[in-house]
Amino acid sequence: MKILLRNCRIYDGTGNTWFAGDIAIDHDRIAGVGNVTGFRADEDINVQGNAVAPGFIDIHTHSDNAAFVPHLSKGKIMQGVTTEVIGNCGMSAYPINPEKIHYLKQYVSSLFGSLEWNWTSLSEFADFSTSLGMVTNLIPLIGHGAVRIAAMGFDNRPPTADEMVHMKQLVQDMMDQGAFGLSSGLIYPPGVYCSTEELVELCKVVQKNKGIYATHMRNESNLVYESVEEAIAIGRDSNIPVQISHHKAAGRINWGKPRKTLPLIREARSSGIDVDLDLYPYTAGSTLLSATLPPWCHEGGTQEMLRRLKDPDMRNRISVDIKNGIPGWENLSQNAGWDQVFIASVQQNRELEGKSIDEIAKMRGQDPTSTLLDILIEENGVATMIVFLMSEDDVRYIMHQPETMIGSDGIPDPGKTHPRFFGTFARVLGHYTREEKVLHLEDAIRKMTSFPAKKLGLKDRGIIREGAYADLVVFDPKVVQDIATYDSPSETAAGFSYVFVNGYPVVYNGTFEFVKKGRFIKKGDIQ
């Protein structure tokens, strides 16, 4: 299909100032930009001077199950997201060791929901996702947690020499099958059990294949500075580009620390280490409810964790560790307070969604820790939470930095999930760019398009130019706004009139068209 977009205010994604012109779309590619006289279109669309930008690239998502719940992709498409990076925080649906698949299923079930699990590799997962169809494009990372599970389960120990060889081979296999890099989740088991040296060795394999290392760091609160140092050291020692995921300073006593971590990142860049970061525009995070437990609770996997939660002596030990902390452990409840930890999604006790642990504890006549443990038991460990941890000043400061991209960290969950899945990109454009003036519009768009494309090595996405893929978004800068809130997190954004995925208008005149035009993009596809 050939489409002509007329009267465009073109923001090409590079950060350059906008220019007026037309855009010609020929099937899945941009056929011309600016003066396209002579282009014969099947459809002519007058965008009436609205902004036209490259489709937004969400550098950090948990949309690994997008092909299984495609209707939820409406939340992303209606805010201009056309491409999503999956396999973040050490969690991916591959590689799979059939003998240890039960560990992986339990590990990712809170985020990925119910999957069919009839694959063992990235290539097979990509083929299966493609057979189901996707609304957005998907770009895969390898989860370090999944690799470690395949090689050694949930053991809290260093890998043996043979296990290290096995993990390296798994990483190489997944890179051969199209992964763009390796991700880690170092507050989650089994990533929390690994050493810096283990990550360096695996990243050397990724580096040979021109991939990146994306990290949910070991600590984003009291030891955030030291955790940035570790991420930089991994980049230096393996000579790999580093992406620090959802950078923040969690907990009131740590507010302001980004003014120390960002100069550290900038210093690393000046010494030749390619370190960047991403951010979501909210003061609350969202993750597994079980992340509030001490690391030792998770040894052996979810069933062992649940066994411990039912043991009176273990419950007492957990309560003491949560109250007093453990050196090096990111104690989320201590950083936030139980009144700031809210149930986002559960399967059994849906009436708890949107309520804080403190509120539920009072309802049940319990202390908060006992309430937490009981909920995890009742939900068989499958639950997510929203936790308020960050400072608005820090969000603005990090967002403004030239090293920062935008990533939603969104979870496609039908529960009372975080509004960032439906609102991240619209919130940056509306609230922080138009209203707060934290960014110029050209730079906000760059952070969502050409910047992540460059980090990933994408050559024909994230930019408006002849020959690039026709992933495009049309919006009104005066109207664009996030509508999703913590109370109503599934409200689609306002101000977007057209969104094209591979040349097809998935949003047409403000209406979402439920069509699956997304592609599973493998790294080899762009070479």
Side-chain angles (χ1 to χ4, degrees), residues 8 39-40 102 107 193 206 239 243 266 301 348 370 379 387 390 409:
C8 307
F39 181 77
R40 301 184 65 177
H102 58 288
Y107 177 53
Y193 306 139
V206 178
N239 191 31
Q243 182 74 10
R266 204 158 291 136
Q348 304 302 320
S370 296
E379 298 296 331
V387 53
M390 286 83 78
D409 198 11

Side-chain angles (χ1 to χ4, degrees), residues 239-521:
N239 191 31
I240 194 172
V242 175
Q243 182 74 10
I244 294 176
S245 299
H246 42 60
H247 191 38
K248 63 176 72 72
R252 184 176 293 274
I253 64 172
N254 299 302
W255 291 357
K257 284 187 177 180
R259 296 180 185 274
K260 296 182 179 179
T261 60
L262 264 297
L264 181 63
I265 290 167
R266 204 158 291 136
E267 180 182 347
R269 290 192 62 81
S270 68
S271 68
I273 304 169
D274 183 357
V275 186
D276 294 303
L277 58 138
D278 53 73
L279 161 122
Y280 50 79
Y282 298 88
T283 57
S286 182
T287 189
L288 310 177
L289 184 62
S290 59
T292 56
L293 298 174
W296 60 264
C297 291
H298 301 274
E299 293 177 23
T302 302
Q303 293 309 310
E304 282 299 300
M305 177 195 79
L306 292 171
R307 182 188 63 78
R308 294 184 181 102
L309 300 190
K310 297 173 184 177
D311 182 289
D313 291 337
M314 293 293 99
R315 287 172 73 99
N316 183 63
R317 180 183 171 188
I318 292 168
S319 182
V320 170
D321 284 351
I322 287 176
K323 179 180 179 181
N324 298 329
I326 299 172
W329 171 46
E330 185 166 28
N331 191 338
L332 294 175
S333 64
Q334 190 179 72
N335 288 332
W338 289 118
D339 62 328
Q340 297 299 307
V341 179
F342 294 80
I343 300 297
S345 66
V346 287
Q347 295 180 339
Q348 304 302 320
N349 301 286
R350 302 302 295 266
E351 73 279 1
L352 300 183
E353 292 177 349
K355 293 182 172 63
S356 72
I357 295 294
D358 190 59
E359 182 182 357
I360 298 167
K362 290 175 180 176
M363 289 167 48
R364 294 186 173 192
Q366 295 178 301
D367 65 274
T369 301
S370 296
T371 298
L372 166 74
L373 305 187
D374 285 351
I375 292 172
L376 286 169
I377 292 169
E378 293 160 14
E379 298 296 331
N380 202 34
V382 180
T384 62
M385 65 178 176
I386 291 173
V387 53
F388 287 84
L389 289 162
M390 286 83 78
S391 153
E392 182 65 34
D393 286 343
D394 284 349
V395 170
R396 292 191 187 97
Y397 177 77
I398 297 170
M399 186 183 298
H400 184 70
Q401 305 310 307
E403 298 85 4
T404 303
M405 305 171 205
I406 305 300
S408 71
D409 198 11
I411 303 169
D413 194 304
K416 203 157 189 176
T417 189
H418 196 298
R420 63 193 182 189
F421 186 82
F422 279 76
T424 288
F425 292 81
R427 184 168 177 79
V428 170
L429 294 172
H431 179 70
Y432 286 101
T433 299
R434 183 183 64 244
E435 297 172 3
E436 296 286 331
K437 303 190 186 315
V438 174
L439 301 171
H440 294 294
L441 183 55
E442 289 85 351
D443 194 37
I445 292 171
R446 181 189 70 88
K447 290 173 178 289
M448 303 171 177
T449 57
S450 68
F451 192 6
K454 181 180 179 182
K455 189 74 179 188
L456 293 163
L458 297 174
K459 297 178 180 179
D460 290 329
R461 298 186 194 268
I463 191 167
I464 295 179
R465 63 166 170 75
E466 185 175 339
Y469 283 100
D471 292 342
L472 298 166
V473 54
V474 181
F475 66 95
D476 186 344
K478 300 186 294 297
V479 175
V480 63
Q481 187 65 58
D482 61 309
I483 307 298
T485 65
Y486 293 102
D487 289 330
S488 299
S490 300
E491 301 293 331
T492 53
F496 295 85
S497 52
Y498 293 89
V499 179
F500 295 83
V501 177
N502 296 308
Y504 192 91
V506 181
V507 176
Y508 190 95
N509 198 24
T511 300
F512 174 63
E513 304 284 338
F514 186 41
V515 289
K516 301 175 183 179
K517 296 297 180 180
R519 298 174 182 171
F520 202 106
I521 302 170

Side-chain angles (χ1 to χ4, degrees), residues 60-62 64 86-95 104 107-108 111-112 141-149 182-191 199 213-216 245-246:
H60 188 101
T61 85
H62 293 286
D64 301 62
I86 62 172
N88 278 289
C89 294
M91 303 181 194
S92 62
Y94 45 81
L104 183 61
Y107 177 53
V108 301
L111 297 184
F112 295 0
L141 298 175
I142 314 159
H144 164 257
V147 170
R148 208 175 205 267
I149 287 170
L182 180 75
S183 79
S184 67
L186 303 183
I187 74 163
Y188 307 111
L199 293 167
Y213 171 59
T215 179
H216 180 148
S245 299
H246 42 60

